[in-house]
Amino acid sequence: MKIAGATNFRDLGNHRTQRGERVAPRRLFRADHLGALTAQDVAQIRALGVRRVLDLRGVNERAAAPCALPQVAVHSLAIEPTIVQKLSDLIAAGHRLTPGEVVAHMQDTYRGFVRNNTHRFAELFGHLLERGEPTVFHCTAGKDRTGFAAALILRSLGVPEPDVMRDYLLTNERLKPMEASRHGLAPEVQMVLWRVQPEFLRAAFDAVDADYGGMEAYLREGLRLREAERERLRELYLSPPS
């Protein structure tokens, strides 16, 4: 499916779990922001039965591009963006950024998802556990906050990590190229900022390992997904083996 106003919109369905089940199609959708949808986009998304939107954007991001989908419940799970402001401040101070430095800052951002925003991802799972209606979760570009959320959802359902990484990297094929920078970022720096790399997501996984002792412990202790919650997620979002 191609959504003109949200090019990173895609279905998480059909991933296989380690137990042979399949993530149910047309149930969970990840996306970039939904503030630039065309009338045709709206019709396509409504045809999927979407009734719930989980918005990971910060306050100003939401105000700048409100959700264009009518008759949906929009839940704000605000994770304020920090990376562009941090890089802009460095440039304003006269620092000449290199692509390698941007990678390091992006890795810090992903570690921060674990160390500063676990409560928001726990809230996301709280909504998903309420009922299994078709849901879109998104941030602005649908690549970092959304990418980590998608990784957590897939891992919680039992999808192997290599498949999770492949889904994460699909953003580089789907996301519309960034326009000329309004933040004074050099093109080579902007290229790093507007794409995803395995090193970014692995930084979050490394923080999970360091702080919790592994993904299973993080799901259980950080995100409050005990066995009963895991089983309900499987009931709501998995199809039987085929």
Side-chain angles (χ1 to χ4, degrees):
M1 172 181 293
K2 290 188 177 181
I3 303 296
T7 60
N8 208 9
F9 186 103
R10 60 187 192 266
D11 192 345
L12 276 192
N14 294 315
H15 286 285
R16 292 278 179 183
T17 73
Q18 291 167 319
R19 303 198 305 189
E21 303 122 323
R22 193 165 51 97
V23 178
R26 297 171 66 111
R27 198 76 54 83
L28 294 166
F29 302 91
R30 55 174 294 178
D32 37 344
H33 76 83
L34 304 177
L37 301 177
T38 67
Q40 182 176 353
D41 294 338
V42 169
Q44 284 184 278
I45 295 173
R46 285 176 62 84
L48 297 171
V50 170
R51 294 292 178 268
R52 178 173 59 190
V53 173
L54 306 178
D55 188 345
L56 297 166
R57 295 177 299 167
V59 173
N60 291 337
E61 292 172 290
R62 293 197 311 276
C67 180
L69 279 178
Q71 300 177 334
V72 296
V74 179
H75 302 276
S76 172
L77 310 175
I79 299 175
E80 293 295 338
T82 59
I83 184 67
V84 171
Q85 187 60 52
K86 183 181 295 184
L87 299 184
S88 297
D89 289 346
L90 287 170
I91 291 170
H95 184 74
R96 184 173 178 83
L97 283 167
T98 67
E101 287 175 314
V102 180
V103 169
H105 283 296
M106 289 298 298
Q107 289 175 305
D108 283 342
T109 295
Y110 276 71
R111 294 184 193 103
F113 293 156
V114 177
R115 292 171 176 160
N116 304 322
N117 301 117
T118 286
H119 65 292
R120 290 302 193 202
F121 295 105
E123 289 176 30
L124 180 144
F125 278 101
H127 287 291
L128 296 183
L129 285 163
E130 286 179 3
R131 53 192 181 276
E133 64 189 358
T135 297
V136 179
F137 60 98
H138 73 92
C139 54
T140 292
K143 70 184 191 73
D144 299 316
R145 291 163 288 189
T146 298
F148 186 54
L152 293 178
I153 292 169
L154 293 174
R155 294 295 285 130
S156 75
L157 293 171
V159 175
E161 188 172 317
D163 294 331
V164 171
M165 184 64 76
R166 277 191 287 272
D167 173 81
Y168 172 73
L169 293 174
L170 277 175
T171 281
N172 292 334
E173 301 175 19
R174 300 295 297 271
L175 194 59
K176 184 179 178 181
M178 192 178 191
E179 297 177 359
S181 176
R182 294 171 296 170
H183 305 283
L185 303 177
E188 63 273 17
V189 167
Q190 192 169 283
M191 179 65 70
V192 175
L193 191 62
W194 202 240
R195 292 174 64 82
V196 293
Q197 297 183 20
E199 291 80 6
F200 301 169
L201 188 56
R202 287 197 187 111
F205 290 161
D206 287 346
V208 163
D209 291 343
D211 293 3
Y212 291 87
M215 181 59 71
E216 288 299 314
Y218 180 61
L219 294 172
R220 185 175 61 251
E221 305 300 331
L223 300 177
R224 303 191 296 274
L225 300 175
R226 306 305 203 269
E227 185 50 41
E229 288 78 21
R230 296 285 293 278
E231 183 57 34
R232 177 159 173 78
L233 286 173
R234 290 190 285 265
E235 291 173 357
L236 291 174
Y237 300 108
L238 291 182
S239 299
S242 57

